[in-house]
């Protein structure tokens, strides 16, 4: 059967589950989802500071239904991935780790995660979510949330729904706010937040295979690159893009009502509501004539390649594929669900919009080669905004990235 275990009653599989447990011990930072003496086995899950309590709550329901104990270990988001890579080969890593999909290529390259056959459950998730957990044609985990940036509007300043970048700027100026719109950039650049505008010119980072997974074929210098870079220079001259606008400056300007629009994610919508703002979430307007598609991050559960608890992991993943588990995770974390049925049942209009926008976005490349891209990409965008020659600057960037990838 798929992943080696049938969906059956606890009593029928108790002996098998107990035999498969490696008796993972807990540390001072570890708490069990259940201390039941009738536990038929134990799983260890690593989660970062934000997700730790959420996974604990989810695990309580799983343990109650299956008698499988879940040890949740809190880790720092900063270096959790590197600790996982170093610990798994020694046998001291967890059975499962929860983190974003952009580390997937690095995990596969280091041999610390195993493919997960989603089977029929694959059709339950959005296309972007499945693309995010796919690497080299194989799926490596169960997605539970997707996130992307969108255009957030201050409804007190304007009620327009601009379709193009120029319409948005004009609307923002008409509103009389200090900034027509804000998007974080900083002196090192922020290609993540600007990517939807870039994709509207048809310029993307790496070529995608038919299944949506990325190849290492760099396409940043391809279709639309010259138009996009010229646009960057024009926006720099007009001050609509500004390296002095950091994440904090952009957030502060929007929350104080000094910007009609902001390109940001759900995290700042929550902050806006707490500040008493009435906001709406809209698709990012096109700058280059094509649909503006933002990067999409996928939150997922990975399976360790060295787990000694394959049967328990499979059972836990089958639970994660249910509407009940996905709904619980959404309620606990407030994120946009990866499961389409759960996303369709959202009642919060802003979250529904984020779900729709993320569903049409482009998964952030998770291939190891992406590590060679970010720094050159961001700093080159800043240089062009500050007046550098677009064509030569971009060509140098592409060559530097290719050289770095080949090292």
């Amino acid at each position: 059967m798929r992943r080696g275990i049938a969906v059956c009653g606890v009593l029928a599989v108790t002996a098998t589950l107990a035999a498969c447990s490696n008796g993972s011990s807990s540390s001072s930072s570890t708490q069990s989802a259940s201390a039941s003496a009738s536990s038929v086995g134990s799983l260890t899950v690593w989660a970062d500071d934000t997700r730790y309590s959420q996974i604990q709550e989810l695990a309580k329901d799983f343990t109650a239904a299956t008698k499988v104990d879940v040890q949740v270990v809190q880790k720092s988001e900063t270096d959790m991935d590197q600790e996982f890579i170093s610990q798994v080969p020694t046998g001291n890593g967890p059975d499962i780790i929860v983190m974003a999909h952009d580390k997937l290529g690095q995990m596969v390259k280091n041999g610390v995660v195993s493919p997960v056959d989603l089977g029929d459950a694959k059709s339950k998730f959005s296309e972007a979510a499945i693309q995010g957990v796919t690497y080299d044609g194989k799926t490596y985990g169960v997605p539970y949330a997707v996130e992307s940036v969108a255009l957030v509007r201050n409804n007190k300043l304007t009620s327009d729904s601009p379709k193009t970048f120029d319409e948005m700027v004009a609307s923002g100026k008409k509103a009389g706010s200090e900034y027509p719109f804000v998007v974080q950039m900083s002196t090192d650049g922020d290609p993540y937040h600007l990517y939807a505008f870039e994709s509207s010119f048809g310029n993307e980072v790496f070529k995608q295979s038919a299944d949506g997974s990325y190849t290492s074929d760099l396409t940043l210098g391809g279709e639309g690159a010259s138009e996009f870079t010229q646009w960057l220079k024009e926006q720099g001259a007009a001050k609509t893009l500004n390296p002095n606008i950091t994440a904090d400056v952009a957030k502060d300007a929007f929350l104080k009502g000094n910007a009609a629009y902001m390109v940001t994610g759900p995290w700042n919508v929550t902050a806006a509501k707490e500040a008493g703002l009435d906001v709406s979430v809209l698709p990012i307007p096109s700058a280059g004539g094509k649909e503006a598609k933002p990067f999409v991050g996928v939150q997922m559960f990975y399976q360790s390649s060295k787990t000694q608890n394959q049967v328990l992991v499979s059972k836990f993943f089958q639970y994660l594929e249910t509407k009940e588990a996905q709904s619980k995770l959404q309620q606990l974390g407030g994120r946009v669900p990866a499961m389409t049925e759960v996303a369709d049942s959202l009642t919060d209009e802003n979250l529904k919009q984020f779900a729709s926008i993320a569903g049409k976005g482009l998964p952030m490349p998770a291939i190891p080669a992406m590590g060679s891209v970010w720094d050159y990409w961001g700093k080159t965008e800043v240089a062009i905004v500050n007046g550098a020659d677009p064509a030569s600057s971009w060509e140098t960037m592409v060559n530097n990235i290719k050289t770095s990838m080949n090292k």
Side-chain angles (χ1 to χ4, degrees):
M1 294 184 179
R2 180 165 60 87
R3 295 201 299 270
I5 185 170
V7 180
C8 53
V10 173
L11 294 178
V13 296
T14 298
T16 302
L17 291 173
C20 289
S21 173
N22 68 359
S24 300
S25 60
S26 62
S27 67
S28 59
S29 62
T30 305
Q31 293 188 23
S32 172
S34 171
S36 171
S38 62
S39 172
V40 297
S42 180
L43 279 175
T44 300
V45 180
W46 282 8
D48 66 24
D49 325 58
T50 302
R51 296 163 185 77
Y52 172 62
S53 60
Q54 298 168 17
I55 304 306
Q56 277 192 310
E57 287 300 311
L58 178 77
K60 288 178 183 178
D61 291 349
F62 173 72
T63 298
T66 64
K67 306 300 182 189
V68 177
D69 190 40
V70 180
Q71 308 285 337
V72 185
V73 182
Q74 183 174 356
K75 294 291 181 179
S76 169
E77 183 179 11
T78 304
D79 56 8
M80 181 170 68
D81 57 325
Q82 292 304 315
E83 186 178 356
F84 183 75
I85 289 172
S86 65
Q87 291 298 316
V88 167
T90 70
N92 294 320
D95 301 291
I96 297 167
I97 188 169
V98 187
M99 64 170 56
H101 85 282
D102 60 331
K103 305 294 184 182
L104 178 54
Q106 187 180 23
M107 299 290 191
V108 175
K109 183 179 179 181
N110 284 278
V112 295
V113 292
S114 295
V116 174
D117 179 12
L118 294 175
D120 294 339
K122 194 173 183 178
S123 63
K124 297 181 180 180
F125 300 99
S126 68
E127 182 179 353
I130 293 300
Q131 287 182 356
V133 302
T134 300
Y135 185 82
D136 199 21
K138 299 177 182 177
T139 51
Y140 278 86
V142 181
Y144 77 90
V146 295
E147 59 187 17
S148 72
V149 296
L151 186 68
V152 181
R153 181 185 69 198
N154 184 331
N155 294 330
K156 182 179 180 180
L157 298 177
T158 180
S159 60
D160 295 340
S161 298
K163 303 299 182 186
T164 70
F165 182 86
D166 290 343
E167 288 177 0
M168 176 187 67
V169 172
S171 173
K173 288 181 177 179
K174 182 180 178 181
S177 53
E178 180 180 353
Y179 302 99
F181 96 109
V182 285
V183 59
Q184 67 185 64
M185 193 171 191
S186 83
T187 54
D188 287 329
D190 196 322
Y192 172 81
H193 278 80
L194 292 183
Y195 191 63
F197 296 127
E198 183 170 353
S199 68
S200 74
F201 286 90
N203 196 46
E204 299 179 7
V205 193
F206 289 103
K207 183 178 180 180
Q208 286 180 282
S209 300
D211 63 3
S213 59
Y214 285 95
T215 71
S216 57
D217 184 4
L218 188 71
T219 56
L220 268 176
E223 179 188 356
S226 61
E227 291 84 358
F228 170 64
T229 55
Q230 184 60 42
W231 177 82
L232 281 176
K233 185 174 182 178
E234 292 169 356
Q235 301 316 312
K239 299 299 182 183
T240 49
L241 293 181
N242 188 340
N244 292 325
I245 302 294
T246 64
D248 288 340
V249 171
K251 178 180 178 180
D252 186 63
F254 189 76
L255 295 188
K256 288 182 177 178
N258 295 330
Y261 301 96
M262 181 182 186
V263 173
T264 190
W267 47 91
N268 277 333
V269 169
T270 300
K273 288 183 176 180
E274 291 174 349
L277 270 63
D278 175 24
V279 299
S280 292
V281 175
L282 309 171
I284 295 176
S286 173
K290 297 183 178 181
E291 184 178 7
K293 297 181 178 182
F295 270 142
V296 178
V298 180
Q299 301 296 326
M300 61 182 287
F301 290 79
Y302 299 81
Q303 170 185 278
S304 167
S305 61
K306 299 297 183 181
T307 180
Q308 298 300 305
N309 296 314
Q310 183 61 64
V311 175
L312 289 95
V313 170
S314 297
K315 193 169 186 68
F316 186 66
F317 279 179
Q318 287 177 344
Y319 171 66
L320 290 174
E321 293 166 3
T322 65
K323 181 182 178 182
E324 290 72 25
Q326 294 279 328
S327 296
K328 179 87 173 197
L329 283 166
Q330 196 285 318
Q331 293 164 11
L332 291 169
R335 294 172 179 265
V336 175
M339 182 173 283
T340 52
E341 184 179 5
V342 179
D344 290 344
S345 66
L346 292 173
T347 56
D348 184 291
E349 286 301 321
N350 287 334
L351 270 183
K352 288 174 70 173
Q353 271 292 86
F354 270 115
S356 175
I357 292 164
K360 298 174 183 177
L362 296 167
M364 193 153 42
I367 58 177
M370 195 64 188
S372 301
V373 174
W374 289 114
D375 188 55
Y376 290 119
W377 193 10
K379 289 179 178 177
T380 301
E381 289 185 343
V382 168
I384 294 173
V385 165
N386 283 336
D389 178 68
S392 60
S393 297
W394 205 254
E395 182 180 5
T396 298
M397 177 200 73
V398 170
N399 290 335
N400 284 337
I401 292 173
K402 288 180 177 179
T403 299
S404 180
M405 287 170 56
N406 292 328
K407 286 183 179 179

